[in-house]
Amino acid sequence: MIVPRYRIAASRIPHAGKGLFLEESVAAGSVLTAPDAIDRTWELSEIEASEALQALSHARARWFEDRYTLSPDWPDECYVNHSFQPSGLWHLGFIFATANLPADTEITVDYRHLLAPGEEEGFNDALTGEKIIGYTWPQSLAISTRALAALIR
């Protein structure tokens, strides 16, 4: 579920396709997206052991520990693009505003939180050219928890 008013439009990130843009200003720490209609998660080993689930890997996102969702229906949340300097913080399936964000801000997150540990995204960061490689669960949780605590002080 996307909480603030938004629109889907051409991303300003080179080669990113479409992006999710705010239609209203939001305060730092505000919830931008929240889990909604998640009927189940899978362990990575379950996904890797099933050809049918492997075929959906392009729609895979880590939610916690070794648990992933597969969203082949491409909900609007899937238009959140990657950035190493994101406007949104991914934390346990929620996305929080990393700063006071004006309307027309494109919502981005650091995909390293969503990938499997050590997994390399199929493209490099558009602005830096750096590889996007998944964090371990302890890294992801520590980074996002510290960042969220700093936002809500």
Side-chain angles (χ1 to χ4, degrees), residues 3-42:
V3 178
R5 291 188 324 270
Y6 71 95
R7 72 180 188 289
I8 305 300
S11 176
R12 296 183 186 121
I13 300 168
H15 313 293
K18 294 182 180 179
L20 191 150
F21 293 84
L22 293 173
E23 287 281 302
E24 61 184 291
S25 298
V26 297
S30 296
V31 173
L32 300 174
T33 71
D36 186 25
I38 304 301
D39 63 344
R40 77 161 294 182
T41 62
W42 287 267

PDB file of all heavy atoms in Angstrom, residues 3-42:
ATOM      1  N   VAL A   3       1.086   5.042   0.843  1.00  0.00           N
ATOM      2  CA  VAL A   3       0.338   5.888   1.763  1.00  0.00           C
ATOM      3  C   VAL A   3       0.052   7.288   1.194  1.00  0.00           C
ATOM      4  O   VAL A   3      -1.102   7.694   1.134  1.00  0.00           O
ATOM      5  CB  VAL A   3       1.037   5.958   3.135  1.00  0.00           C
ATOM      6  CG1 VAL A   3       0.287   6.873   4.086  1.00  0.00           C
ATOM      7  CG2 VAL A   3       1.159   4.550   3.732  1.00  0.00           C
ATOM      8  N   PRO A   4       1.055   8.069   0.788  1.00  0.00           N
ATOM      9  CA  PRO A   4       0.731   9.411   0.263  1.00  0.00           C
ATOM     10  C   PRO A   4       0.181   9.327  -1.159  1.00  0.00           C
ATOM     11  O   PRO A   4       0.315   8.298  -1.842  1.00  0.00           O
ATOM     12  CB  PRO A   4       2.084  10.137   0.282  1.00  0.00           C
ATOM     13  CG  PRO A   4       3.108   9.061   0.216  1.00  0.00           C
ATOM     14  CD  PRO A   4       2.498   7.847   0.863  1.00  0.00           C
ATOM     15  N   ARG A   5      -0.431  10.422  -1.595  1.00  0.00           N
ATOM     16  CA  ARG A   5      -0.863  10.484  -2.999  1.00  0.00           C
ATOM     17  C   ARG A   5       0.375  10.401  -3.887  1.00  0.00           C
ATOM     18  O   ARG A   5       1.429  10.956  -3.548  1.00  0.00           O
ATOM     19  CB  ARG A   5      -1.632  11.778  -3.275  1.00  0.00           C
ATOM     20  CG  ARG A   5      -3.000  11.839  -2.600  1.00  0.00           C
ATOM     21  CD  ARG A   5      -3.831  13.050  -3.057  1.00  0.00           C
ATOM     22  NE  ARG A   5      -3.067  14.255  -3.312  1.00  0.00           N
ATOM     23  CZ  ARG A   5      -2.797  15.195  -2.404  1.00  0.00           C
ATOM     24  NH1 ARG A   5      -3.227  15.058  -1.163  1.00  0.00           N
ATOM     25  NH2 ARG A   5      -2.084  16.263  -2.718  1.00  0.00           N
ATOM     26  N   TYR A   6       0.243   9.725  -5.002  1.00  0.00           N
ATOM     27  CA  TYR A   6       1.392   9.495  -5.867  1.00  0.00           C
ATOM     28  C   TYR A   6       0.945   9.338  -7.316  1.00  0.00           C
ATOM     29  O   TYR A   6      -0.240   9.230  -7.612  1.00  0.00           O
ATOM     30  CB  TYR A   6       2.134   8.217  -5.426  1.00  0.00           C
ATOM     31  CG  TYR A   6       1.352   6.959  -5.728  1.00  0.00           C
ATOM     32  CD1 TYR A   6       1.584   6.244  -6.911  1.00  0.00           C
ATOM     33  CD2 TYR A   6       0.374   6.491  -4.871  1.00  0.00           C
ATOM     34  CE1 TYR A   6       0.854   5.105  -7.200  1.00  0.00           C
ATOM     35  CE2 TYR A   6      -0.358   5.355  -5.156  1.00  0.00           C
ATOM     36  CZ  TYR A   6      -0.110   4.657  -6.319  1.00  0.00           C
ATOM     37  OH  TYR A   6      -0.839   3.536  -6.610  1.00  0.00           O
ATOM     38  N   ARG A   7       1.943   9.293  -8.198  1.00  0.00           N
ATOM     39  CA  ARG A   7       1.690   8.981  -9.609  1.00  0.00           C
ATOM     40  C   ARG A   7       2.850   8.144 -10.125  1.00  0.00           C
ATOM     41  O   ARG A   7       3.957   8.189  -9.575  1.00  0.00           O
ATOM     42  CB  ARG A   7       1.521  10.246 -10.439  1.00  0.00           C
ATOM     43  CG  ARG A   7       2.802  11.017 -10.677  1.00  0.00           C
ATOM     44  CD  ARG A   7       2.580  12.288 -11.525  1.00  0.00           C
ATOM     45  NE  ARG A   7       3.824  12.916 -11.891  1.00  0.00           N
ATOM     46  CZ  ARG A   7       4.641  13.567 -11.094  1.00  0.00           C
ATOM     47  NH1 ARG A   7       4.342  13.695  -9.816  1.00  0.00           N
ATOM     48  NH2 ARG A   7       5.761  14.100 -11.542  1.00  0.00           N
ATOM     49  N   ILE A   8       2.600   7.401 -11.160  1.00  0.00           N
ATOM     50  CA  ILE A   8       3.630   6.652 -11.870  1.00  0.00           C
ATOM     51  C   ILE A   8       3.936   7.429 -13.144  1.00  0.00           C
ATOM     52  O   ILE A   8       3.026   7.809 -13.875  1.00  0.00           O
ATOM     53  CB  ILE A   8       3.162   5.228 -12.221  1.00  0.00           C
ATOM     54  CG1 ILE A   8       2.686   4.478 -10.970  1.00  0.00           C
ATOM     55  CG2 ILE A   8       4.257   4.456 -12.964  1.00  0.00           C
ATOM     56  CD1 ILE A   8       3.725   4.308  -9.894  1.00  0.00           C
ATOM     57  N   ALA A   9       5.221   7.710 -13.384  1.00  0.00           N
ATOM     58  CA  ALA A   9       5.634   8.487 -14.561  1.00  0.00           C
ATOM     59  C   ALA A   9       7.042   8.048 -14.958  1.00  0.00           C
ATOM     60  O   ALA A   9       7.684   7.266 -14.247  1.00  0.00           O
ATOM     61  CB  ALA A   9       5.614   9.986 -14.223  1.00  0.00           C
ATOM     62  N   ALA A  10       7.518   8.575 -16.062  1.00  0.00           N
ATOM     63  CA  ALA A  10       8.876   8.261 -16.518  1.00  0.00           C
ATOM     64  C   ALA A  10       9.878   8.646 -15.426  1.00  0.00           C
ATOM     65  O   ALA A  10       9.837   9.757 -14.903  1.00  0.00           O
ATOM     66  CB  ALA A  10       9.181   9.000 -17.808  1.00  0.00           C
ATOM     67  N   SER A  11      10.761   7.708 -15.090  1.00  0.00           N
ATOM     68  CA  SER A  11      11.778   7.968 -14.073  1.00  0.00           C
ATOM     69  C   SER A  11      12.782   8.996 -14.578  1.00  0.00           C
ATOM     70  O   SER A  11      13.039   9.100 -15.772  1.00  0.00           O
ATOM     71  CB  SER A  11      12.510   6.671 -13.729  1.00  0.00           C
ATOM     72  OG  SER A  11      13.558   6.924 -12.815  1.00  0.00           O
ATOM     73  N   ARG A  12      13.349   9.734 -13.635  1.00  0.00           N
ATOM     74  CA  ARG A  12      14.429  10.666 -13.966  1.00  0.00           C
ATOM     75  C   ARG A  12      15.793   9.979 -13.905  1.00  0.00           C
ATOM     76  O   ARG A  12      16.814  10.584 -14.204  1.00  0.00           O
ATOM     77  CB  ARG A  12      14.390  11.852 -13.012  1.00  0.00           C
ATOM     78  CG  ARG A  12      13.112  12.672 -13.173  1.00  0.00           C
ATOM     79  CD  ARG A  12      13.100  13.894 -12.268  1.00  0.00           C
ATOM     80  NE  ARG A  12      11.811  14.541 -12.372  1.00  0.00           N
ATOM     81  CZ  ARG A  12      10.981  14.741 -11.357  1.00  0.00           C
ATOM     82  NH1 ARG A  12      11.319  14.369 -10.145  1.00  0.00           N
ATOM     83  NH2 ARG A  12       9.821  15.335 -11.551  1.00  0.00           N
ATOM     84  N   ILE A  13      15.794   8.720 -13.510  1.00  0.00           N
ATOM     85  CA  ILE A  13      17.024   7.935 -13.430  1.00  0.00           C
ATOM     86  C   ILE A  13      17.274   7.336 -14.814  1.00  0.00           C
ATOM     87  O   ILE A  13      16.383   6.679 -15.373  1.00  0.00           O
ATOM     88  CB  ILE A  13      16.896   6.833 -12.361  1.00  0.00           C
ATOM     89  CG1 ILE A  13      16.631   7.462 -10.989  1.00  0.00           C
ATOM     90  CG2 ILE A  13      18.133   5.947 -12.347  1.00  0.00           C
ATOM     91  CD1 ILE A  13      16.218   6.464  -9.927  1.00  0.00           C
ATOM     92  N   PRO A  14      18.460   7.536 -15.372  1.00  0.00           N
ATOM     93  CA  PRO A  14      18.730   6.999 -16.709  1.00  0.00           C
ATOM     94  C   PRO A  14      18.459   5.491 -16.807  1.00  0.00           C
ATOM     95  O   PRO A  14      18.860   4.727 -15.934  1.00  0.00           O
ATOM     96  CB  PRO A  14      20.220   7.294 -16.916  1.00  0.00           C
ATOM     97  CG  PRO A  14      20.519   8.443 -16.008  1.00  0.00           C
ATOM     98  CD  PRO A  14      19.608   8.253 -14.816  1.00  0.00           C
ATOM     99  N   HIS A  15      17.726   5.096 -17.832  1.00  0.00           N
ATOM    100  CA  HIS A  15      17.434   3.692 -18.164  1.00  0.00           C
ATOM    101  C   HIS A  15      16.545   2.987 -17.141  1.00  0.00           C
ATOM    102  O   HIS A  15      16.460   1.761 -17.161  1.00  0.00           O
ATOM    103  CB  HIS A  15      18.725   2.897 -18.367  1.00  0.00           C
ATOM    104  CG  HIS A  15      19.721   3.582 -19.249  1.00  0.00           C
ATOM    105  ND1 HIS A  15      19.511   3.797 -20.595  1.00  0.00           N
ATOM    106  CD2 HIS A  15      20.927   4.130 -18.976  1.00  0.00           C
ATOM    107  CE1 HIS A  15      20.538   4.428 -21.109  1.00  0.00           C
ATOM    108  NE2 HIS A  15      21.412   4.663 -20.142  1.00  0.00           N
ATOM    109  N   ALA A  16      15.901   3.708 -16.249  1.00  0.00           N
ATOM    110  CA  ALA A  16      15.102   3.073 -15.197  1.00  0.00           C
ATOM    111  C   ALA A  16      13.657   2.802 -15.606  1.00  0.00           C
ATOM    112  O   ALA A  16      12.939   2.137 -14.875  1.00  0.00           O
ATOM    113  CB  ALA A  16      15.132   3.917 -13.928  1.00  0.00           C
ATOM    114  N   GLY A  17      13.203   3.311 -16.711  1.00  0.00           N
ATOM    115  CA  GLY A  17      11.801   3.101 -17.088  1.00  0.00           C
ATOM    116  C   GLY A  17      10.901   4.038 -16.318  1.00  0.00           C
ATOM    117  O   GLY A  17      11.123   5.242 -16.291  1.00  0.00           O
ATOM    118  N   LYS A  18       9.910   3.466 -15.646  1.00  0.00           N
ATOM    119  CA  LYS A  18       8.974   4.278 -14.877  1.00  0.00           C
ATOM    120  C   LYS A  18       9.405   4.380 -13.422  1.00  0.00           C
ATOM    121  O   LYS A  18      10.152   3.551 -12.921  1.00  0.00           O
ATOM    122  CB  LYS A  18       7.571   3.684 -14.960  1.00  0.00           C
ATOM    123  CG  LYS A  18       6.976   3.742 -16.353  1.00  0.00           C
ATOM    124  CD  LYS A  18       5.583   3.181 -16.362  1.00  0.00           C
ATOM    125  CE  LYS A  18       5.002   3.257 -17.773  1.00  0.00           C
ATOM    126  NZ  LYS A  18       3.645   2.695 -17.799  1.00  0.00           N
ATOM    127  N   GLY A  19       8.900   5.414 -12.741  1.00  0.00           N
ATOM    128  CA  GLY A  19       9.184   5.611 -11.330  1.00  0.00           C
ATOM    129  C   GLY A  19       7.934   6.022 -10.583  1.00  0.00           C
ATOM    130  O   GLY A  19       6.908   6.356 -11.180  1.00  0.00           O
ATOM    131  N   LEU A  20       8.015   6.000  -9.250  1.00  0.00           N
ATOM    132  CA  LEU A  20       6.915   6.389  -8.375  1.00  0.00           C
ATOM    133  C   LEU A  20       7.234   7.773  -7.821  1.00  0.00           C
ATOM    134  O   LEU A  20       8.292   7.962  -7.217  1.00  0.00           O
ATOM    135  CB  LEU A  20       6.782   5.355  -7.249  1.00  0.00           C
ATOM    136  CG  LEU A  20       5.537   5.446  -6.401  1.00  0.00           C
ATOM    137  CD1 LEU A  20       5.167   4.065  -5.887  1.00  0.00           C
ATOM    138  CD2 LEU A  20       5.718   6.383  -5.231  1.00  0.00           C
ATOM    139  N   PHE A  21       6.327   8.732  -8.028  1.00  0.00           N
ATOM    140  CA  PHE A  21       6.535  10.124  -7.632  1.00  0.00           C
ATOM    141  C   PHE A  21       5.472  10.573  -6.646  1.00  0.00           C
ATOM    142  O   PHE A  21       4.294  10.264  -6.801  1.00  0.00           O
ATOM    143  CB  PHE A  21       6.479  11.037  -8.860  1.00  0.00           C
ATOM    144  CG  PHE A  21       7.620  10.834  -9.808  1.00  0.00           C
ATOM    145  CD1 PHE A  21       7.577   9.825 -10.758  1.00  0.00           C
ATOM    146  CD2 PHE A  21       8.741  11.646  -9.742  1.00  0.00           C
ATOM    147  CE1 PHE A  21       8.635   9.622 -11.626  1.00  0.00           C
ATOM    148  CE2 PHE A  21       9.801  11.455 -10.612  1.00  0.00           C
ATOM    149  CZ  PHE A  21       9.755  10.441 -11.555  1.00  0.00           C
ATOM    150  N   LEU A  22       5.897  11.340  -5.643  1.00  0.00           N
ATOM    151  CA  LEU A  22       4.960  11.904  -4.673  1.00  0.00           C
ATOM    152  C   LEU A  22       4.104  12.984  -5.324  1.00  0.00           C
ATOM    153  O   LEU A  22       4.599  13.787  -6.108  1.00  0.00           O
ATOM    154  CB  LEU A  22       5.718  12.533  -3.505  1.00  0.00           C
ATOM    155  CG  LEU A  22       6.487  11.591  -2.602  1.00  0.00           C
ATOM    156  CD1 LEU A  22       7.309  12.387  -1.597  1.00  0.00           C
ATOM    157  CD2 LEU A  22       5.542  10.634  -1.896  1.00  0.00           C
ATOM    158  N   GLU A  23       2.852  13.022  -4.949  1.00  0.00           N
ATOM    159  CA  GLU A  23       1.931  14.083  -5.372  1.00  0.00           C
ATOM    160  C   GLU A  23       1.700  15.076  -4.235  1.00  0.00           C
ATOM    161  O   GLU A  23       0.950  16.028  -4.404  1.00  0.00           O
ATOM    162  CB  GLU A  23       0.590  13.476  -5.799  1.00  0.00           C
ATOM    163  CG  GLU A  23       0.640  12.761  -7.131  1.00  0.00           C
ATOM    164  CD  GLU A  23       0.592  13.744  -8.291  1.00  0.00           C
ATOM    165  OE1 GLU A  23      -0.368  14.520  -8.377  1.00  0.00           O
ATOM    166  OE2 GLU A  23       1.536  13.719  -9.103  1.00  0.00           O
ATOM    167  N   GLU A  24       2.326  14.822  -3.100  1.00  0.00           N
ATOM    168  CA  GLU A  24       2.201  15.704  -1.944  1.00  0.00           C
ATOM    169  C   GLU A  24       3.502  15.653  -1.159  1.00  0.00           C
ATOM    170  O   GLU A  24       4.267  14.693  -1.268  1.00  0.00           O
ATOM    171  CB  GLU A  24       1.037  15.287  -1.060  1.00  0.00           C
ATOM    172  CG  GLU A  24       1.163  13.885  -0.488  1.00  0.00           C
ATOM    173  CD  GLU A  24      -0.057  13.459   0.300  1.00  0.00           C
ATOM    174  OE1 GLU A  24      -0.280  14.026   1.388  1.00  0.00           O
ATOM    175  OE2 GLU A  24      -0.774  12.564  -0.163  1.00  0.00           O
ATOM    176  N   SER A  25       3.773  16.671  -0.372  1.00  0.00           N
ATOM    177  CA  SER A  25       4.953  16.693   0.487  1.00  0.00           C
ATOM    178  C   SER A  25       4.761  15.743   1.654  1.00  0.00           C
ATOM    179  O   SER A  25       3.637  15.547   2.127  1.00  0.00           O
ATOM    180  CB  SER A  25       5.187  18.103   1.029  1.00  0.00           C
ATOM    181  OG  SER A  25       5.428  18.996  -0.026  1.00  0.00           O
ATOM    182  N   VAL A  26       5.863  15.156   2.121  1.00  0.00           N
ATOM    183  CA  VAL A  26       5.815  14.291   3.304  1.00  0.00           C
ATOM    184  C   VAL A  26       6.985  14.649   4.219  1.00  0.00           C
ATOM    185  O   VAL A  26       8.032  15.097   3.754  1.00  0.00           O
ATOM    186  CB  VAL A  26       5.844  12.789   2.945  1.00  0.00           C
ATOM    187  CG1 VAL A  26       4.637  12.385   2.129  1.00  0.00           C
ATOM    188  CG2 VAL A  26       7.125  12.422   2.221  1.00  0.00           C
ATOM    189  N   ALA A  27       6.797  14.424   5.490  1.00  0.00           N
ATOM    190  CA  ALA A  27       7.825  14.718   6.485  1.00  0.00           C
ATOM    191  C   ALA A  27       8.801  13.556   6.616  1.00  0.00           C
ATOM    192  O   ALA A  27       8.439  12.389   6.405  1.00  0.00           O
ATOM    193  CB  ALA A  27       7.173  14.986   7.841  1.00  0.00           C
ATOM    194  N   ALA A  28      10.028  13.875   7.000  1.00  0.00           N
ATOM    195  CA  ALA A  28      11.040  12.848   7.258  1.00  0.00           C
ATOM    196  C   ALA A  28      10.492  11.828   8.250  1.00  0.00           C
ATOM    197  O   ALA A  28       9.837  12.194   9.226  1.00  0.00           O
ATOM    198  CB  ALA A  28      12.305  13.494   7.803  1.00  0.00           C
ATOM    199  N   GLY A  29      10.731  10.561   7.981  1.00  0.00           N
ATOM    200  CA  GLY A  29      10.263   9.495   8.862  1.00  0.00           C
ATOM    201  C   GLY A  29       8.862   9.011   8.574  1.00  0.00           C
ATOM    202  O   GLY A  29       8.432   8.001   9.127  1.00  0.00           O
ATOM    203  N   SER A  30       8.136   9.701   7.692  1.00  0.00           N
ATOM    204  CA  SER A  30       6.774   9.270   7.344  1.00  0.00           C
ATOM    205  C   SER A  30       6.804   7.954   6.579  1.00  0.00           C
ATOM    206  O   SER A  30       7.725   7.693   5.800  1.00  0.00           O
ATOM    207  CB  SER A  30       6.087  10.310   6.460  1.00  0.00           C
ATOM    208  OG  SER A  30       5.913  11.516   7.141  1.00  0.00           O
ATOM    209  N   VAL A  31       5.785   7.142   6.781  1.00  0.00           N
ATOM    210  CA  VAL A  31       5.657   5.894   6.025  1.00  0.00           C
ATOM    211  C   VAL A  31       5.200   6.232   4.610  1.00  0.00           C
ATOM    212  O   VAL A  31       4.186   6.900   4.415  1.00  0.00           O
ATOM    213  CB  VAL A  31       4.654   4.939   6.701  1.00  0.00           C
ATOM    214  CG1 VAL A  31       4.393   3.723   5.824  1.00  0.00           C
ATOM    215  CG2 VAL A  31       5.163   4.516   8.073  1.00  0.00           C
ATOM    216  N   LEU A  32       5.983   5.776   3.639  1.00  0.00           N
ATOM    217  CA  LEU A  32       5.627   5.967   2.232  1.00  0.00           C
ATOM    218  C   LEU A  32       4.888   4.756   1.688  1.00  0.00           C
ATOM    219  O   LEU A  32       3.916   4.897   0.959  1.00  0.00           O
ATOM    220  CB  LEU A  32       6.884   6.243   1.397  1.00  0.00           C
ATOM    221  CG  LEU A  32       7.686   7.472   1.794  1.00  0.00           C
ATOM    222  CD1 LEU A  32       8.975   7.547   0.991  1.00  0.00           C
ATOM    223  CD2 LEU A  32       6.856   8.736   1.619  1.00  0.00           C
ATOM    224  N   THR A  33       5.384   3.567   2.018  1.00  0.00           N
ATOM    225  CA  THR A  33       4.683   2.339   1.636  1.00  0.00           C
ATOM    226  C   THR A  33       4.662   1.401   2.830  1.00  0.00           C
ATOM    227  O   THR A  33       5.556   1.421   3.682  1.00  0.00           O
ATOM    228  CB  THR A  33       5.340   1.610   0.437  1.00  0.00           C
ATOM    229  OG1 THR A  33       6.575   1.022   0.844  1.00  0.00           O
ATOM    230  CG2 THR A  33       5.550   2.541  -0.749  1.00  0.00           C
ATOM    231  N   ALA A  34       3.626   0.577   2.883  1.00  0.00           N
ATOM    232  CA  ALA A  34       3.460  -0.383   3.971  1.00  0.00           C
ATOM    233  C   ALA A  34       3.014  -1.715   3.384  1.00  0.00           C
ATOM    234  O   ALA A  34       2.334  -1.743   2.358  1.00  0.00           O
ATOM    235  CB  ALA A  34       2.413   0.125   4.965  1.00  0.00           C
ATOM    236  N   PRO A  35       3.392  -2.815   4.027  1.00  0.00           N
ATOM    237  CA  PRO A  35       2.961  -4.126   3.524  1.00  0.00           C
ATOM    238  C   PRO A  35       1.451  -4.214   3.438  1.00  0.00           C
ATOM    239  O   PRO A  35       0.737  -3.738   4.312  1.00  0.00           O
ATOM    240  CB  PRO A  35       3.504  -5.100   4.579  1.00  0.00           C
ATOM    241  CG  PRO A  35       4.613  -4.359   5.257  1.00  0.00           C
ATOM    242  CD  PRO A  35       4.207  -2.911   5.224  1.00  0.00           C
ATOM    243  N   ASP A  36       0.978  -4.825   2.356  1.00  0.00           N
ATOM    244  CA  ASP A  36      -0.455  -4.926   2.123  1.00  0.00           C
ATOM    245  C   ASP A  36      -0.708  -6.149   1.243  1.00  0.00           C
ATOM    246  O   ASP A  36      -0.036  -6.321   0.220  1.00  0.00           O
ATOM    247  CB  ASP A  36      -0.946  -3.651   1.431  1.00  0.00           C
ATOM    248  CG  ASP A  36      -2.451  -3.599   1.276  1.00  0.00           C
ATOM    249  OD1 ASP A  36      -3.153  -4.251   2.054  1.00  0.00           O
ATOM    250  OD2 ASP A  36      -2.912  -2.922   0.355  1.00  0.00           O
ATOM    251  N   ALA A  37      -1.614  -6.981   1.636  1.00  0.00           N
ATOM    252  CA  ALA A  37      -2.012  -8.151   0.849  1.00  0.00           C
ATOM    253  C   ALA A  37      -0.834  -9.069   0.549  1.00  0.00           C
ATOM    254  O   ALA A  37      -0.725  -9.607  -0.545  1.00  0.00           O
ATOM    255  CB  ALA A  37      -2.724  -7.719  -0.430  1.00  0.00           C
ATOM    256  N   ILE A  38       0.048  -9.242   1.510  1.00  0.00           N
ATOM    257  CA  ILE A  38       1.145 -10.191   1.370  1.00  0.00           C
ATOM    258  C   ILE A  38       0.632 -11.526   1.905  1.00  0.00           C
ATOM    259  O   ILE A  38       0.426 -11.684   3.106  1.00  0.00           O
ATOM    260  CB  ILE A  38       2.394  -9.737   2.172  1.00  0.00           C
ATOM    261  CG1 ILE A  38       2.839  -8.333   1.768  1.00  0.00           C
ATOM    262  CG2 ILE A  38       3.520 -10.760   2.031  1.00  0.00           C
ATOM    263  CD1 ILE A  38       3.199  -8.173   0.319  1.00  0.00           C
ATOM    264  N   ASP A  39       0.392 -12.465   1.006  1.00  0.00           N
ATOM    265  CA  ASP A  39      -0.216 -13.715   1.450  1.00  0.00           C
ATOM    266  C   ASP A  39       0.796 -14.740   1.940  1.00  0.00           C
ATOM    267  O   ASP A  39       0.442 -15.655   2.668  1.00  0.00           O
ATOM    268  CB  ASP A  39      -1.114 -14.310   0.375  1.00  0.00           C
ATOM    269  CG  ASP A  39      -0.376 -14.690  -0.893  1.00  0.00           C
ATOM    270  OD1 ASP A  39       0.758 -14.241  -1.092  1.00  0.00           O
ATOM    271  OD2 ASP A  39      -0.949 -15.454  -1.687  1.00  0.00           O
ATOM    272  N   ARG A  40       2.070 -14.585   1.532  1.00  0.00           N
ATOM    273  CA  ARG A  40       3.077 -15.497   2.055  1.00  0.00           C
ATOM    274  C   ARG A  40       4.464 -15.040   1.666  1.00  0.00           C
ATOM    275  O   ARG A  40       4.646 -14.199   0.807  1.00  0.00           O
ATOM    276  CB  ARG A  40       2.825 -16.928   1.618  1.00  0.00           C
ATOM    277  CG  ARG A  40       3.211 -17.244   0.189  1.00  0.00           C
ATOM    278  CD  ARG A  40       3.366 -18.713  -0.072  1.00  0.00           C
ATOM    279  NE  ARG A  40       4.501 -19.230   0.680  1.00  0.00           N
ATOM    280  CZ  ARG A  40       4.909 -20.476   0.626  1.00  0.00           C
ATOM    281  NH1 ARG A  40       4.267 -21.324  -0.124  1.00  0.00           N
ATOM    282  NH2 ARG A  40       5.941 -20.892   1.313  1.00  0.00           N
ATOM    283  N   THR A  41       5.446 -15.640   2.334  1.00  0.00           N
ATOM    284  CA  THR A  41       6.851 -15.443   1.988  1.00  0.00           C
ATOM    285  C   THR A  41       7.465 -16.825   1.783  1.00  0.00           C
ATOM    286  O   THR A  41       6.920 -17.838   2.241  1.00  0.00           O
ATOM    287  CB  THR A  41       7.620 -14.702   3.101  1.00  0.00           C
ATOM    288  OG1 THR A  41       7.590 -15.479   4.288  1.00  0.00           O
ATOM    289  CG2 THR A  41       7.043 -13.313   3.338  1.00  0.00           C
ATOM    290  N   TRP A  42       8.597 -16.850   1.096  1.00  0.00           N
ATOM    291  CA  TRP A  42       9.317 -18.090   0.842  1.00  0.00           C
ATOM    292  C   TRP A  42      10.745 -17.948   1.333  1.00  0.00           C
ATOM    293  O   TRP A  42      11.327 -16.865   1.258  1.00  0.00           O
ATOM    294  CB  TRP A  42       9.388 -18.389  -0.665  1.00  0.00           C
ATOM    295  CG  TRP A  42       8.132 -18.841  -1.285  1.00  0.00           C
ATOM    296  CD1 TRP A  42       7.716 -20.125  -1.465  1.00  0.00           C
ATOM    297  CD2 TRP A  42       7.106 -18.025  -1.846  1.00  0.00           C
ATOM    298  NE1 TRP A  42       6.498 -20.144  -2.098  1.00  0.00           N
ATOM    299  CE2 TRP A  42       6.100 -18.862  -2.342  1.00  0.00           C
ATOM    300  CE3 TRP A  42       6.934 -16.640  -1.969  1.00  0.00           C
ATOM    301  CZ2 TRP A  42       4.959 -18.388  -2.964  1.00  0.00           C
ATOM    302  CZ3 TRP A  42       5.800 -16.163  -2.578  1.00  0.00           C
ATOM    303  CH2 TRP A  42       4.828 -17.035  -3.065  1.00  0.00           C
TER     304      TRP A  42
END
